[in-house]
Amino acid sequence: MATVRTKFRASSSETKEGTLFYQVIHNRVARQINAGYRLYPEEWDAENGKIVFPSGIEETRRDYLVTLINNVQEDTKRLKSVISHLECTGNRYTAEDVVAAYLMPADNSCFISFARNLVDRLAKIGKRCTAETYTTAINSFLRFRNSRDVSWDDMDSDLMTAYETYLKSVGICPNSISFYMRNLRAIYNRAVEKELTVQRFPFKHVYTGIDKTTKRAVPLNVIRQIRNMDLSFCPMMDYSRDVFMFSFYTRGMSFVDMAFLKKKDLQNGILSYRRHKTNMRLFIKWEKPMQDIVDKYDTTGSPYLLPIIKNNGKDERRQYKSEAHLINTYLKRIGERLGLPIPLTTYVARHGWASIAKSKNIPIATISEAMGHDSEMTTRIYLASLDTSVVDKANSIILKSL
């Protein structure tokens, strides 16, 4: 019977990550499969053939390694399943047969297998965000299905209504239910386009709209409390608070936009950037509180304005997502210390700026009701017609109120 081992190949450069691979051995013939995972030599226990956590490891790196460990376990389980299947046929097979069966694309005979295949293709062509979004919806649907696939014939409105009932029973909010349904519908429609199934409109009786979200704004006095807190006892809390305040100072800039701000984006007292979500270019007058935060952190050698992405060129998307999770964790602790009724996140700064601007009688057109519009299109229509100086004046009014 074939055996599987997980191996590590170090990089020729001591400062760079090496790669993991699987070794399939059968009848003294060995073949390799690149696992696609990278780690440093000190994170690999060669004697026991497993990933380990070196001392002093950062929390974000630990989270990454935990994910790798789970992925390796799943891959190994699948490889052993392939070998078991080949053994059960009673026919002779080779190590090459095991590798070929493992690497064979998933078939499209059922919904989940098609969805997973689609996610793999999207990831390979660089559409990682869509791939990740689809994966989130697929995983939720799999929990409902107890990891069982579903045939195209069974993908009907009764099944999706049952899925919606399940989501409600486990406390999923309407907007999250809609998120799952809309993504599953997008996957299903792709299958229809490929003529893998006929259009049965399985999502016609489930919720796919968008509810108004629970208020996530805080008043000016709370923003002032957050700014004035003494957090010197915990550098990570202090840093997280600074990121929150930078978002507020910059008219509620989203976390992803803050993460990718470059030093070259700040010229002649104007910060300019494109929103990742809409690709709209925005211009912000640079104010002293923004500079105070930038001066607080050493970003020498980095092209970025803020220290959110620390390793330039090394999976920056993964870095900013890990940092967002870490910062929001500490912000929630700050919120708990203040006794806030809502979880404090970077998004609260965005909602807070809009709410406070409105309370200052700043014209609705000026702030564009930016975080309160029912559609992104309306927001774009408002912002496209504004004089930047009007918005800068509005921001100055809010910052002076602090």
Side-chain angles (χ1 to χ4, degrees):
M1 186 172 181
T3 58
V4 179
R5 296 175 183 171
T6 305
K7 299 278 190 174
F8 173 72
R9 182 183 293 110
S11 169
S12 57
S13 172
E14 294 182 0
T15 60
K16 293 185 177 180
E17 296 169 302
T19 58
L20 278 182
F21 64 93
Y22 305 123
Q23 186 181 66
V24 179
I25 305 172
H26 187 52
N27 292 333
R28 298 182 181 179
V29 176
R31 291 293 181 267
Q32 295 179 6
I33 302 172
N34 184 359
Y37 310 131
R38 306 184 68 83
L39 65 159
Y40 294 104
E42 61 269 22
E43 296 168 342
W44 179 252
D45 180 352
E47 184 176 346
N48 297 301
K50 65 179 184 178
I51 298 170
V52 294
F53 305 111
S55 59
I57 187 173
E58 293 183 358
E59 188 172 347
T60 52
R61 187 66 182 180
R62 175 180 287 274
D63 291 342
Y64 169 71
L65 293 180
V66 168
T67 301
L68 253 60
I69 291 171
N70 291 334
N71 289 350
V72 168
Q73 289 175 346
E74 291 179 7
D75 293 346
T76 304
K77 183 178 179 180
R78 186 174 157 220
L79 267 169
K80 290 180 178 179
S81 176
V82 168
I83 293 169
S84 178
H85 175 73
L86 291 172
E87 287 282 341
C88 289
T89 63
N91 299 322
R92 295 183 63 183
Y93 66 93
T94 64
E96 288 93 339
D97 293 331
V98 176
V99 173
Y102 176 80
L103 296 176
M104 185 181 297
D107 63 50
N108 294 323
S109 60
C110 295
F111 177 74
I112 297 298
S113 57
F114 168 77
R116 284 174 166 166
N117 202 16
L118 173 61
V119 165
D120 288 341
R121 292 199 306 273
L122 289 170
K124 287 176 182 176
I125 63 176
K127 295 187 175 182
R128 294 178 59 185
C129 185
T130 304
E132 290 172 1
T133 300
Y134 284 178
T135 298
T136 301
I138 293 165
N139 288 341
S140 170
F141 189 55
L142 276 172
R143 286 191 288 273
F144 161 68
R145 293 282 303 164
N146 291 319
S147 299
R148 292 177 288 109
D149 211 332
V150 55
S151 68
W152 293 115
D153 288 343
D154 289 333
M155 278 294 292
D156 56 21
S157 59
D158 288 341
L159 177 65
M160 301 319 295
T161 300
Y163 173 47
E164 183 180 52
T165 301
Y166 158 79
L167 292 174
K168 290 178 180 177
S169 72
V170 294
I172 305 299
C173 71
N175 278 348
S176 293
I177 291 174
S178 177
F179 169 82
Y180 294 141
M181 294 298 183
R182 284 182 283 115
N183 282 287
L184 293 176
R185 182 177 61 187
I187 296 169
Y188 180 85
N189 287 341
R190 286 185 182 236
V192 173
E193 289 175 4
K194 292 180 177 294
E195 299 183 350
L196 296 173
T197 184
V198 297
Q199 179 61 271
R200 295 184 176 84
F201 302 102
F203 301 89
K204 63 183 177 182
H205 296 310
V206 296
Y207 180 66
T208 55
I210 301 176
D211 271 2
K212 289 187 177 180
T213 56
T214 304
K215 185 178 179 181
R216 285 183 277 184
V218 291
L220 188 63
N221 67 303
V222 171
I223 297 291
R224 190 180 291 115
Q225 281 182 288
I226 294 170
R227 183 197 63 183
N228 294 337
M229 287 180 76
D230 179 8
L231 298 174
S232 57
F233 64 91
C234 180
M236 271 308 302
M237 271 194 191
D238 191 33
Y239 164 60
S240 300
R241 183 261 308 275
D242 287 343
V243 171
F244 177 92
M245 292 305 302
F246 188 89
S247 173
F248 183 82
Y249 293 149
T250 53
R251 308 198 311 244
M253 188 183 296
S254 68
F255 185 82
V256 62
D257 291 329
M258 287 191 291
F260 286 97
L261 281 178
K262 298 241 176 125
K263 292 172 182 175
K264 65 181 182 181
D265 295 332
L266 176 58
Q267 295 185 21
N268 302 317
I270 300 294
L271 180 66
S272 65
Y273 70 100
R274 284 193 180 276
R275 283 205 64 198
H276 275 65
K277 186 173 183 179
T278 64
N279 203 38
M280 184 194 313
R281 180 165 287 283
L282 299 178
F283 299 89
I284 300 176
K285 180 184 176 185
W286 194 246
E287 301 276 2
K288 184 178 182 302
M290 306 171 194
Q291 187 65 47
D292 290 341
I293 289 176
V294 170
D295 288 342
K296 191 171 174 179
Y297 298 94
D298 182 9
T299 56
T300 305
S302 170
Y304 294 107
L305 195 63
L306 297 170
I308 295 172
I309 296 175
K310 298 177 176 63
N311 296 314
N312 186 30
K314 289 181 62 176
D315 201 344
E316 294 166 343
R317 179 176 173 78
R318 182 188 292 272
Q319 287 186 65
Y320 100 76
K321 291 188 75 173
S322 295
E323 198 76 352
H325 175 74
L326 187 63
I327 286 171
N328 281 327
T329 296
Y330 281 98
L331 284 177
K332 287 173 184 175
R333 295 181 188 176
I334 292 173
E336 290 168 359
R337 283 178 169 269
L338 293 174
L340 299 184
I342 59 172
L344 188 65
T345 67
T346 54
Y347 206 67
V348 173
R350 183 170 175 79
H351 269 260
W353 189 92
S355 177
I356 293 166
K358 189 175 181 180
S359 72
K360 294 292 179 183
N361 295 318
I362 293 169
I364 298 299
T366 303
I367 60 173
S368 176
E369 280 283 79
M371 301 76 176
H373 276 320
D374 291 328
S375 71
E376 187 72 17
M377 181 60 70
T378 308
T379 302
R380 287 200 294 269
I381 291 171
Y382 270 103
L383 290 179
S385 62
L386 285 177
D387 181 345
T388 302
S389 64
V390 176
V391 182
D392 286 331
K393 184 178 179 181
N395 198 36
S396 295
I397 292 172
I398 293 172
L399 299 193
K400 288 176 182 177
S401 298
L402 282 172

